Amino acid sequence: MSRFHVGGKVVDTVDLLRRRHWAWRLDLWPFAVLYGVWPLAVVPSLDFGDASIVLGCIGAFHILVFLFTVWSVDFKCFVQYSKVKDIHHADACKITPAKFSGSKEVVTLHCQKMAASSASVDIEEIYFDFRKQRFIYSNEKNTFSKLPYPSKETMGYYLKNTGYGTEAKVLAATEKWGRNVFEYPQPTFQKLMKEQCMEPFFVFQVFCVGLWCLDEYWYYSLFTLFMLFMFESTMAKSRLKTLTELRRVKVDTQILMVYRCGKWVKLSGTELLPGDVVSIGRSTGTNGEDKSVPADMLILAGSAIVNEAILTGESTPQWKVSVMGRGMNEKLSARRDKAHVLFGGTKILQHTADKTFHLKAPDGGCLAVVLRTGFETSQGKLMRTILFSTERVTANSWESGFFILFLVVFALIAAGYVLKKGLEDPTRSRYKLLLSCSLIITSVIPPELPMELSIAVNTSLIALARLGIYCTEPFRIPFAGKVDMCCFDKTGTLTSDDMEFSGVGGLIDSEDLITEMSKVSDRTLELLASCHALVFVDNKLVGDPLEKAALKGIEWTYKSDEKATPKKGGGNTVQIVQRHHFASYLKRMAVVVRVQEQFVSFVKGAPETIQERLVDVPESYVKTYKKHTRQGSRVLALAYKTLPDMTVSEARSLERDMVESDLTFAGFAVFNCPIRGDSASVLSELKSSSHDLVMITGDQALTACHVAGQVNIISKPALILGRAKSNEGYEWVSPDETQIIAYRENEVEALSEAHDLCIGGDCIEMLQQTSSILKVIPYVKVFARVAPEQKELIITTFRSVGRVTLMCGDGTNDVGALKQAHVGVALLNAVPPTQKEKSAFEASSKNEIAKSDKSKKSKSTIENGENASKSRAVSKLESTGNQAANRHLTAAEIQRKKLKKIMNELNEEGGDGRTAPVVKLGDASMASPFTAKHASVAPTTDIIRQGRSTLVTTLQMFKILGLNCLATAYVLSVMYLDGVKLGDVQATISGVFTAAFFLFISHASPLPTLSAERPHPNIFCYYVFLSLLGQFAVHIFFLISSVKEAEKYMPDECIEPDAEFHPNLVNTVSYMVGMMLQVATFAVNYMGHPFNKSISENRPFLYALGAAVVFFVVIASDLFRDLNDWLKLVPLPKSLRNKLLIWAFLAFLVCYTWERLLRWAFPGKMPAWRKKQRQVTAIDKKKNL
């Protein structure tokens, strides 16, 4: 069996391979044969010049084969490896990752002998390491599975654990799991640069440079090469910076007490192994900073307060407790038992030891058992997500590749024509002929394409950085322009993190709230004051904002000795004796307290959970809590139970179940979570600009639907999917429960026409079991009570049905989803800028623009070496090239410095209280391509505006480059054979104009509001295709007519195709027409409203166009003879000149009308995802059969 189906989250399939002996590799022996044949068969039969061309072709093909092994993993496997059936014969394997998890890789297959614990025979272990995870071959399952860690055992197993008893066991465990470190090789600048230089585009550009050198364009070639290396090295440098930033995250090397071989020993955190019993507590480094937990561990005895901000972006400290009270046969669950687990990378703020446990820690720390180490810890998982989750989006996408193929077809026709004509003439040099054909083909592919795209993207980067939005994957910006679905997290994204205590409900017969606390019973107040997990850390009260809001609302105080007292009035002091912490799977928490020598248990939790535990349920119970939930409030049910007389130690050892049963109802605590001021207006703008909106939240369905209604996510009547009352099957229920519709997976699409649908996390599990994810999820508007993995599943489902998604969230529970979305926006909860600051910022940016305009004047000449490749492919560049190189550098430097300055400002931790309080740029936020230092969803519109602007700019660049290249192919072929060439200065001037135009169109800024019209997402559509062909036809017709007209005035003379340049009438006319067409192309294809500023608003571009028109009129009118002599232009006959100017105007008019007609006929529209959804569902159905 040569292929194994792993079907995990990381690896999908594994193919077994064996490396071929070097002599039998397909990139070596066939070429060795060809190189051998060349001196024996080719050299004797051809003259040496032609034989050299053959050798050159063999060499070029060999290099191409080698490069393809770098570009394609499948091709590399075909050339360098052979497939094998037996795993023992394999020495490598090809890994195909799960969908949306990156690209294929070839990894080494290892085989090692493991010492068996009981038998004397060694066990053979076959494994491979892929993306920092080890996969081991299992004979029983006949497939590969992940290396197991002791993280799913029973509670009894952990409580009886006494660590490693012998050194042999320690050695075996070290061999199995390795050291507890984040080891990933830091790539050097040279290695990254080599990767950049292996990119297909770069290789092609170097090939072009080689051709120009052969044709003796030294200045131009070396200048271009220097530019390319400068550009690629800046790209490599920025990638290196990101990776260096990641390397800063490492396991703390703090010294811990570890129980090994029956005694406590001191060990570094990096030496920990899964199964070790350790003593851990708060420890600070030399600089007074808290040390982080070195691995994921389960608390066996004691409790701790932990700051998990680095993982979750959540600034509220979490309380962690031991597993002592849990059932001995219960299995540990990663999702359910978070309250017992200390996660790697988090910081312990405070700890309490337990003196009663059988193992005593010598340093008074909490006792814990290590579950996972290295890249398997929560922090390691986050690192893996950042490093490997999705393929990097680069400029050299498949679209540009296909677009170039489309242009190459035309070039091949032109080159074929030249070759055919050339071979008819026996006097022509074969070498020159081949060179001419190569130049025609390469002229179609503009070497400056990646640079032009990068300029457009860089402009957007700077604009976003000014708005406090930081982007780690710049080439995702054009994706933002294609987004058709925006997904939002609710808590902390659409609503604020702060809770407001509204009052107590359910105590009187009416459904209204009691807001006056003096009217609330003492028991309820005591319960709210003491049933919480608030704690003092460094003399500061920390904990859940909801519990803090309750304490503030009832006007009680809570002291560090765990006593709660009312601020005024003669209420009783409540002393907390024992806490049973909130567990998400139980949806409740409890405390045992002492009030005036009387023990009482207080419980609070989700209303539906508490309802089952009450002795007597009030009639209006369900009605009351649902009424408040429907209004978007957070509702907690309160209950208590008076306990019999007992000692404090007895009260502490009460079973949780006993404490939380037979309860008496004490009311509902109702909290409000205010919606952020701008959420509704931002989402309204997104909806009106042709985007679908979705909410993905961990909150309750009724609350989520209410908030979704307020922020314009849902506008039609809502339906929520839940279990049927009869417990048989599922049904759709309206929030007010007046409408009930039975659930049938095939009717979901029809149902979504008239209703907005909402489903919960439990329903997603049901959909997974019935394989109906693809049938239901694409039509749902609100997802409630979803786990982080489910958020990721929702986004990947949207992607697989062809939606382009934007996900906006905070905290790392969104990391998977942020990474899987085409555009992930992480919000760091900083304070949104005030109006005053905004206006100050706008004023400063206006000054910046004014200043940069001055520098742009020098920029216009910057890239004359860049953009004039076509024209200069047939010319030489004088010393102007060197000056231009210096000028280009300074302009690029200016842009880089600007970016650097803004990034530094972003990264600085200012002391003004307005910087992000949660995660530093570089940790959890780095898992998202975009990070916004805002506590509002407004950055999403900024990102989409810039995205649309960049998308239309790149689209118009492709069109302009396409038209220019098609014209160039024609000029180089037909006119070249007629002996028409361009002069040196002519080419330079043409290059300067092109450079200036490209620069100015890439600086077009987006309009302040999003339009309902959508940009065209792809280069391949009727609009672009028809536009190109129509304009090209007009251009060619104009060129041919003008040259034919000029030939009438020309004396008959013989022009040698390979001769030196000398000015004549045909050359002058073709140059002028070529230039006029170039300018017309820019003017016609400029995309202004409704995405960017129009030509009249983009002043620099307008002035450049004006200058070009004036320049033509001047040179055509022959006003300054010296200028025309310098340009090597001959005087035009008057009738010809007038004809040219009229024809030029008509050509512009026809192209302009054609372009406008096409824009009207083919507007951008929402993608037809429903069709794709049906196709994908059908394929999925076949797979499952």
Side-chain angles (χ1 to χ4, degrees), residues 223 861-862 864 878-890:
F223 169 64
T861 9
I862 316 180
N864 58 4
E878 293 164 349
S879 57
T880 46
N882 293 333
Q883 295 160 15
N886 297 333
R887 274 193 301 238
H888 189 112
L889 246 180
T890 48

Side-chain angles (χ1 to χ4, degrees), residues 42-80:
V42 179
V43 176
S45 56
L46 295 172
D47 67 59
F48 193 70
D50 289 353
S52 304
I53 292 172
V54 172
L55 183 65
C57 290
I58 297 171
F61 185 55
H62 194 175
I63 292 169
L64 202 62
V65 168
F66 165 72
L67 287 169
F68 262 100
T69 62
V70 177
W71 297 333
S72 163
V73 172
D74 290 326
F75 188 75
K76 181 183 180 174
C77 293
F78 170 69
V79 169
Q80 299 179 359

